[in-house]
Amino acid sequence: AWDPATTSLARAYQDDQQIVLFPKLDTSNVTDVNRMLRNARNIAFVPLLDTSKVKNNAYAFGWDAGNKIKRLPDFDWSGITNRDGPYTGLSSLEKLPGHPIDLSRQTEVWQYFTNSRIPDEFPGVIFNTEQPNMQVRRLFSGCKNIGNRLPVKDFPDNVGNIDNLLHDSDIIDLSGQTLTAHGATCLESAFQTYSLTHAPRLDTPSVENIAYMFAWCRHLRTVPDYTAMSPVNMDYLLTGDYGTYPLERVEGLNFARVTNAAIFGTGTTYGYQKPSLRYMRIVNLGQSELTAYDFSLATVWGTGSEEARQSLVNTLLTDSYDRAAAGMTPATVRLSAASKAALTAEEIAAITAKGFTIA
């Protein structure tokens, strides 16, 4: 028989494939529901439980196996102290509470909705606005039913890290969306997923790390103008392994502070190349201490139209930093054969005069 004095339901029904309806229990003394229903694939209904004393609700209803729960009651999570959320592994979810989910007491938010279906009407989130450099990690990683939206668009200024935000989710066209996070310094792997076709606008002026942000986005076609921010780390920003073949346009990147600029990765096989990328605009090339830039994987950059060619010329000449005038060491810029052929002898001479060697 159930003892009302019980304080823990942690892992109570983990891996239980027989449970379909969660029993109505007196849970007024329960403090831990950690992994309570993890990998219970057939659970379909959970009643309103007394969760007023619960401090740990990490992965309470699942993780990655999925289940049949379509809606959850409005649980009282006011006592929660753990960083990992309960709304994970809810692969059939259709409805969440109608008010914003209150995370204002969390000093860190990790994996709060990971591997869940995000309902069409997402109520939003209230974040802690006092915790310095707050970490929000993998918030919607592995989520489904997102499509052309950002479930959360605005982050308070104290949020410093938003890495893996939509990693491996089913986002598609985010061209009409703007992510605003004025205090964020890290967006590493934020949109790293196969399905993305159009990247979102970013209002993230403080960001320093966008490494892997669009890595392995095999269907990505366009990246908007990001010149308002000047990240330090752009490593593997647009890398692929089996080919980010459709990528056609990168409207703007700012290399003023970059120290890691291998935006296409370091592989040399065909899968790493960008055979459709004709238009790419970069500003402030050469302003940082880097002395080598390799764009050779953009095999047709600057070809196919005068607009595309001008993006190449503007990057290397018009909008580049004058390293020679600043007394800096010359920098080497490696280009594909087609990109080099798109430059005139006069343009190459002028680029060289600014402190660059075309290779």
Side-chain angles (χ1 to χ4, degrees):
W2 173 256
D3 182 357
T6 298
T7 60
S8 177
L9 279 170
R11 296 180 172 82
Y13 299 95
Q14 179 169 292
D15 299 315
D16 186 341
Q17 307 311 321
Q18 303 303 312
I19 187 169
V20 176
L21 305 176
F22 195 90
K24 179 65 175 176
L25 305 172
D26 177 357
T27 55
S28 57
N29 288 304
V30 171
T31 60
D32 191 352
V33 294
N34 166 41
R35 294 171 173 81
M36 179 174 69
L37 287 161
R38 181 173 181 176
N39 200 31
R41 295 187 181 92
N42 294 308
I43 184 69
F45 175 77
V46 179
L48 181 62
L49 303 171
D50 185 343
T51 54
S52 58
K53 292 184 179 178
V54 172
K55 297 185 181 300
N56 187 348
N57 64 358
Y59 323 128
F61 306 111
W63 174 242
D64 56 359
N67 56 43
K68 299 178 181 178
I69 296 172
K70 292 186 176 181
R71 60 177 61 199
L72 286 172
D74 190 3
F75 293 115
D76 177 3
W77 298 129
S78 59
I80 295 302
T81 56
N82 59 281
R83 69 189 184 188
D84 298 89
Y87 300 110
T88 57
L90 294 164
S91 57
S92 302
L93 190 64
E94 295 180 357
K95 188 175 180 59
L96 281 165
H99 57 79
I101 296 169
D102 188 354
L103 304 180
S104 61
R105 291 169 298 277
Q106 316 295 103
T107 56
E108 293 181 88
V109 175
W110 287 36
Q111 304 174 148
Y112 227 76
F113 303 97
T114 298
N115 300 323
S116 286
R117 180 184 185 276
I118 302 302
D120 295 338
E121 296 181 10
F122 186 75
V125 171
I126 300 173
F127 290 106
N128 182 326
T129 59
E130 303 297 328
Q131 178 69 27
N133 193 29
M134 185 171 171
Q135 306 292 294
V136 178
R137 310 192 67 181
R138 307 184 74 90
L139 189 62
F140 297 104
S141 178
C143 289
K144 306 305 178 188
N145 195 49
I146 296 182
N148 302 334
R149 59 181 170 143
L150 290 172
V152 174
K153 298 180 183 180
D154 301 300
F155 291 83
D157 291 351
N158 62 305
V159 173
N161 184 4
I162 317 177
D163 71 74
N164 291 278
L165 175 65
L166 289 153
H167 175 268
D168 202 26
S169 69
D170 68 354
I171 49 175
I172 302 173
D173 183 352
L174 296 182
S175 59
Q177 304 287 299
T178 300
L179 177 71
T180 300
H182 290 169
T185 58
C186 179
L187 288 173
E188 183 170 336
S189 300
F191 306 100
Q192 181 183 321
T193 184
Y194 291 157
S195 58
L196 183 65
T197 61
H198 296 77
R201 297 183 295 269
L202 298 178
D203 182 7
T204 54
S206 302
V207 76
E208 297 186 351
N209 182 1
I210 58 172
Y212 294 91
M213 189 162 70
F214 301 116
W216 301 292
C217 291
R218 296 179 184 173
H219 301 283
L220 185 64
R221 301 181 71 88
T222 64
V223 174
D225 187 350
Y226 291 154
T227 55
M229 61 185 191
S230 55
V232 173
N233 188 353
M234 296 190 197
D235 261 6
Y236 294 85
L237 172 66
L238 297 164
T239 194
D241 48 7
Y242 299 104
T244 309
Y245 303 139
L247 183 63
E248 299 169 351
R249 296 180 70 92
V250 176
E251 299 291 347
L253 298 174
N254 189 340
F255 272 35
R257 299 192 302 151
V258 68
T259 58
N260 301 84
I263 59 175
F264 304 125
T266 57
T268 57
T269 59
Y270 180 71
Y272 288 88
Q273 294 177 3
K274 301 294 173 283
S276 301
L277 181 56
R278 299 182 184 277
Y279 183 98
M280 179 169 63
R281 172 174 165 257
I282 297 172
V283 301
N284 297 318
L285 183 75
Q287 186 170 334
S288 73
E289 295 299 322
L290 270 183
T291 57
Y293 302 88
D294 190 347
F295 302 115
S296 60
L297 290 171
T299 53
V300 294
W301 180 24
T303 70
S305 71
E306 181 56 29
E307 182 197 31
R309 199 188 82 83
Q310 203 58 51
S311 76
L312 175 67
V313 174
N314 288 344
T315 294
L316 300 177
L317 182 58
T318 311
D319 296 328
S320 66
Y321 188 72
D322 194 333
R323 293 178 67 92
M328 298 174 70
T329 302
T332 299
V333 179
R334 187 172 299 279
L335 300 174
S336 71
S339 295
K340 283 188 282 188
L343 298 169
T344 66
E346 292 78 9
E347 288 165 345
I348 292 175
I351 293 166
T352 302
K354 291 187 77 171
F356 297 96
T357 301
I358 302 298

